[in-house]
Amino acid sequence: MAKKVLMCGNEVLAEAAIMAGCRFYAGYPITPQNELPAYMSRRMPEVGGVFIQSESEISAINMVFGASLRGTRAMTSSSSPGISLKQEGISYLAGCELPGVIVNVMRGGPGLGNIAPSQSDYFQATKGGGHGDYHQIVLAPASLQEIVELTMLSFDLADKYRTPVMILGDGILGQMMEPVELEDSVERTADSEKKSWILDGCKGREPRKIRSLLLEDGSLETFNRKLQKKYTEIKDKEVRCEILYGDDSDIMVVAYGTTSRISRNAVEKLRSKGKKIGLVRPISLWPFPEKELRRIAEKVKSFLVVEMSCGQMIEDVRLSIDCKKPVHFYGRSGGGVPTEDEIIKEVEKIV
Amino acid sequence: MSKILSKPKSMKDSSTHYCAGCGHGIVHRLICEIIDELGIREETIGIAPVGCAVIAYDYWNFDVTEAAHGRVPAVATGIKRVAPENIVFGYQGDGDLAAIGTAEIVHAANRGENITIIFVNNAVYGMTGGQMAPTTMLKQKTATTPLGRDQKTHGFPLKVCELLSVLPGVSYAERVSIHSPQNIIKAKKAIKRAFQNQIDGVGFSIVEVLSQCPTYIGLSPEDSVKWVAETMIKEYPLGVFR
Ligand SMILES: Cc1ncc(C[n+]2csc(CCOP(=O)(O)OP(=O)(O)O)c2C)c(N)n1
């Protein structure tokens, strides 16, 4: 049975995590994601889970590391400055092949920036963020219903590939309210018995170790090649993207998350005026929908990338299509949000 | 003839990489003997620090994880909270615990996490080449205090047990030393109590072990032990702080 609820994005995400079997949450307050830990502090005890308000974001990600290596589905959330602090921990998750879900409700930067919505952590999220040869899966929901879907998926992917997964949202998605359908029967729980690698005491088996330190000659290179194999598999299987009017458009707008919602409205308006405009909405930002864009590049005349940043995802769009078609950009930064009219004007400029 | 001494089951059959005279090996062995004696090897999850003891998992014969530099208490918190049935202990050096990880240790202690921390204070950063630690003695020469530690620029030796002793979340904090057989016996008692406390659900326990690093104290193994006995203990008095 599904129930319809009205909650803000941050709360929806928290509830979806619990539905996905998340039983450990640690986080440190930061706007605009504060509803998420507040919700967890109430809900986790109800489902027999653990909520900790940690002393820092660094501590929170390392608590997630601990809970995860014991076999529990674990999550932390923060916003941009706090996510910067978590990067070492995320790198350790990747290096130790531990699952973990990290939520970034992006705000304006650099520095303390502001608390307005932003998409300027795209580079950090998709290009490593922390040190070393690793990737994390990055999923970018565009609606509250999709937050439910992608949050649940995040935990499954994190476990399946034993990798950190980031849910990349922004202040608008976190704060807005929309009716959402929640299935109240699913309540999955992490099945730690299925995880053959966890540390739970060596009863009846050889002791296990979890570590990313590989000192022996060549051992780290061998391990990193193994990681790359995993990333290749993820790239093959886990690309997610929505395409609107992919077959008969001259210009394709490319946008994710909040800006994709605004772009969609702009595209529909232009369509109603007979303009041949479409939309590509990457849902997985890493892996990036390279093939999809390459295929579309054969048909369209140009692209318009719209972001709440000074231009970050645009680099992946250009790389994907090998710069074969012009790629235009419209971005607002530091808390600026592109409007429908601004996007329409940009498109008309290109036409 | 009967065998009166053998390797604890909790210790792997391997030789360690530690320098001659280093205290880490002694502390490792004490922990392993205690885990055997308490019969908790199969429930134990150890956490190795970043520092000379980083590959303790190659010496300990039970489940062990690494933790990022200084984050042992946070990792321990994550494990213990989701699995109170496991015995979770962290092993940390003075750089790990008292410099980069100061926030984590204070807050794990203050929350009264039911975990055990073994803190090896050797007054120096061993792994990175003998730099000043927060616990380095005044006037002590290190790679980054070539003229000796001067409080005007480097501050004072940090006293972890004293600092933690004011926190109501701490159930047990004791400082011991391993510079003589008698002291090793006392150290073992203290470490055992710190594990027993966790079994009994008493709460946060920490044992600070004064230990010698001959390589970076710049003394022979024998003299470095004397240095701990005569110099370090003056700055870091032994005893129960909470
Ligand atoms: C974030 C980070 N900073 C610095 C280091 C380098 N580092 C490795 S061990 C260490 C100090 C270890 O000293 P201590 O904790 O006293 O342990 P010991 O080696 O003396 O046993 C440092 C600074 C690191 N690995 N990670």
Side-chain angles (χ1 to χ4, degrees):
Chain A
M1 258 267 298
K3 60 176 177 218
K4 223 171 198 165
V5 297
L6 188 69
M7 297 195 285
C8 75
N10 288 327
E11 291 173 333
V12 166
L13 203 159
E15 183 58 33
I18 285 170
M19 284 162 59
C22 173
R23 289 297 177 269
F24 184 91
Y25 172 91
Y28 185 86
I30 184 169
T31 309
Q33 58 86 58
N34 288 324
E35 296 79 9
L36 204 164
Y39 189 90
M40 283 298 198
S41 69
R42 185 158 45 81
R43 273 293 273 152
M44 270 301 185
E46 286 175 7
V47 295
V50 178
F51 165 86
I52 300 180
Q53 179 170 322
S54 59
E55 59 272 25
S56 71
E57 290 85 351
I58 298 176
S59 196
I61 188 73
N62 285 289
M63 288 176 183
V64 164
F65 181 100
S68 175
L69 72 84
R70 182 58 184 72
T72 298
R73 287 191 158 185
M75 179 170 96
T76 182
S77 68
S78 187
S79 180
S80 310
I83 296 293
S84 293
L85 284 180
K86 290 186 197 294
Q87 293 304 330
E88 184 201 34
I90 297 172
S91 169
Y92 271 73
L93 287 175
C96 291
E97 293 194 277
L98 293 178
V101 174
I102 303 106
V103 181
N104 183 0
V105 184
M106 289 183 282
R107 59 187 250 177
L112 198 50
N114 61 24
I115 57 169
S118 172
Q119 295 181 319
S120 51
D121 302 345
Y122 179 93
F123 282 153
Q124 185 194 53
T126 60
K127 308 296 170 194
H131 60 285
D133 250 341
Y134 80 96
H135 288 284
Q136 65 184 0
I137 296 173
V138 184
L139 302 177
S143 70
L144 270 53
Q145 194 63 53
E146 199 176 35
I147 285 180
V148 177
E149 202 182 297
L150 295 186
T151 300
M152 308 216 11
L153 177 68
S154 295
F155 283 95
D156 291 343
L157 294 180
D159 274 355
K160 179 173 177 194
Y161 295 105
R162 291 174 58 184
T163 184
V165 177
M166 180 170 280
I167 302 171
L168 196 64
D170 62 66
I172 293 179
L173 273 175
Q175 301 289 319
M176 71 190 280
M177 285 188 153
E178 260 177 358
V180 178
E181 276 195 8
L182 297 176
E183 283 177 57
D184 51 12
S185 56
V186 280
E187 284 275 326
R188 286 183 265 182
T189 41
D191 192 352
S192 63
E193 272 160 51
K194 272 194 219 144
K195 297 180 177 174
S196 58
W197 47 267
I198 66 168
L199 303 192
D200 56 353
C202 60
K203 204 178 208 116
R205 60 162 170 79
E206 282 301 299
R208 294 185 187 133
K209 57 186 171 192
I210 285 181
R211 54 100 164 79
S212 59
L213 181 76
L214 293 161
L215 292 173
E216 255 164 70
D217 224 12
S219 59
L220 183 56
E221 185 164 18
T222 306
F223 173 74
N224 285 350
R225 298 252 178 255
K226 186 186 135 200
L227 276 187
Q228 289 303 318
K229 254 197 184 153
K230 176 158 89 177
Y231 297 146
T232 306
E233 188 188 342
I234 293 172
K235 279 183 164 184
D236 285 346
K237 294 186 183 158
E238 307 300 346
V239 171
R240 288 172 170 81
C241 133
E242 185 191 354
I243 297 165
L244 211 65
Y245 307 115
D247 293 325
D248 71 331
S249 288
D250 292 335
I251 300 173
M252 274 311 228
V253 177
V254 189
Y256 69 94
T258 292
T259 45
S260 73
R261 291 172 72 115
I262 306 164
S263 299
R264 181 191 298 269
N265 293 343
V267 164
E268 295 296 0
K269 268 195 190 157
L270 286 161
R271 276 271 155 187
S272 69
K273 289 189 213 159
K275 299 261 165 46
K276 291 191 153 184
I277 312 294
L279 176 73
V280 181
R281 178 172 78 89
I283 297 168
S284 59
L285 301 182
W286 196 91
F288 195 71
E290 294 167 9
K291 282 188 203 129
E292 290 70 10
L293 279 161
R294 209 171 303 139
R295 197 165 42 73
I296 286 166
E298 314 265 308
K299 304 186 210 164
V300 302
K301 291 185 181 140
S302 66
F303 291 88
L304 171 65
V305 177
V306 181
E307 296 180 60
M308 289 193 285
S309 82
C310 292
Q312 301 196 6
M313 183 177 70
I314 183 174
E315 294 192 3
D316 282 335
V317 175
R318 284 203 176 114
L319 276 173
S320 299
I321 65 163
D322 250 341
C323 296
K324 277 186 182 135
K325 295 282 161 72
V327 181
H328 305 277
F329 179 71
Y330 183 69
R332 296 286 307 274
S333 180
V337 180
T339 63
E340 262 170 59
D341 286 348
E342 286 167 3
I343 297 168
I344 290 170
K345 227 185 259 167
E346 284 306 307
V347 172
E348 282 168 348
K349 257 198 249 169
I350 300 166
V351 177
Chain B
M1 218 165 66
S2 66
K3 199 170 170 186
I4 57 161
L5 205 64
S6 61
K7 230 176 191 160
K9 179 130 203 274
S10 293
M11 196 136 221
K12 280 185 183 158
D13 200 12
S14 57
S15 55
T16 74
H17 70 291
Y18 296 118
C19 306
C22 171
H24 278 306
I26 297 170
V27 184
H28 283 13
R29 180 170 175 122
L30 292 183
I31 291 170
C32 291
E33 287 178 1
I34 288 160
I35 288 174
D36 278 11
E37 288 164 21
L38 294 172
I40 52 172
R41 193 182 73 91
E42 295 182 330
E43 289 89 63
T44 294
I45 302 173
I47 306 166
V50 173
C52 285
V54 65
I55 53 171
Y57 42 68
D58 285 342
Y59 311 138
W60 293 337
N61 193 27
F62 43 82
D63 280 6
V64 184
T65 181
E66 74 176 19
H69 194 24
R71 316 305 170 204
V72 169
V75 172
T77 298
I79 301 172
K80 187 70 183 181
R81 289 288 191 105
V82 299
E85 67 273 26
N86 283 120
I87 300 299
V88 182
F89 84 92
Y91 187 101
Q92 298 189 266
D94 41 53
D96 198 77
L97 181 141
I100 196 168
T102 320
E104 280 76 7
I105 194 66
V106 167
H107 287 276
N110 196 46
R111 288 189 303 266
E113 298 293 343
N114 188 29
I115 56 174
T116 303
I117 298 287
I118 310 304
F119 165 40
V120 177
N121 177 358
N122 60 8
V124 80
Y125 283 18
M127 193 191 205
T128 39
Q131 296 86 352
M132 180 185 71
T135 51
T136 290
M137 308 284 291
L138 291 176
K139 300 204 173 76
Q140 185 185 330
K141 286 185 179 158
T142 70
T144 49
T145 53
L147 303 175
R149 182 177 190 169
D150 176 357
Q151 74 266 22
K152 277 198 207 112
T153 44
H154 301 117
F156 296 88
L158 197 68
K159 295 179 175 165
V160 169
C161 278
E162 285 85 339
L163 204 68
L164 295 182
S165 70
V166 299
L167 302 178
V170 175
S171 304
Y172 172 52
E174 178 165 2
R175 184 181 290 125
V176 297
S177 172
I178 51 167
H179 67 270
S180 71
Q182 294 96 311
N183 277 278
I184 291 173
I185 291 167
K186 279 190 201 159
K188 183 170 173 182
K189 253 196 180 147
I191 295 173
K192 194 163 186 174
R193 182 169 158 200
F195 275 92
Q196 188 62 51
N197 280 351
Q198 187 179 158
I199 295 168
D200 298 341
V202 170
F204 186 88
S205 300
I206 180 168
V207 178
E208 175 175 346
V209 185
L210 302 186
S211 175
Q212 59 280 359
C213 174
T215 303
Y216 293 114
I217 301 296
L219 296 169
S220 68
E222 206 185 335
D223 288 343
S224 71
V225 167
K226 261 191 221 145
W227 186 81
V228 171
E230 288 163 13
T231 314
M232 255 189 113
I233 287 178
K234 281 203 192 105
E235 185 68 37
Y236 298 107
L238 306 184
V240 177
F241 289 80
R242 193 166 178 107

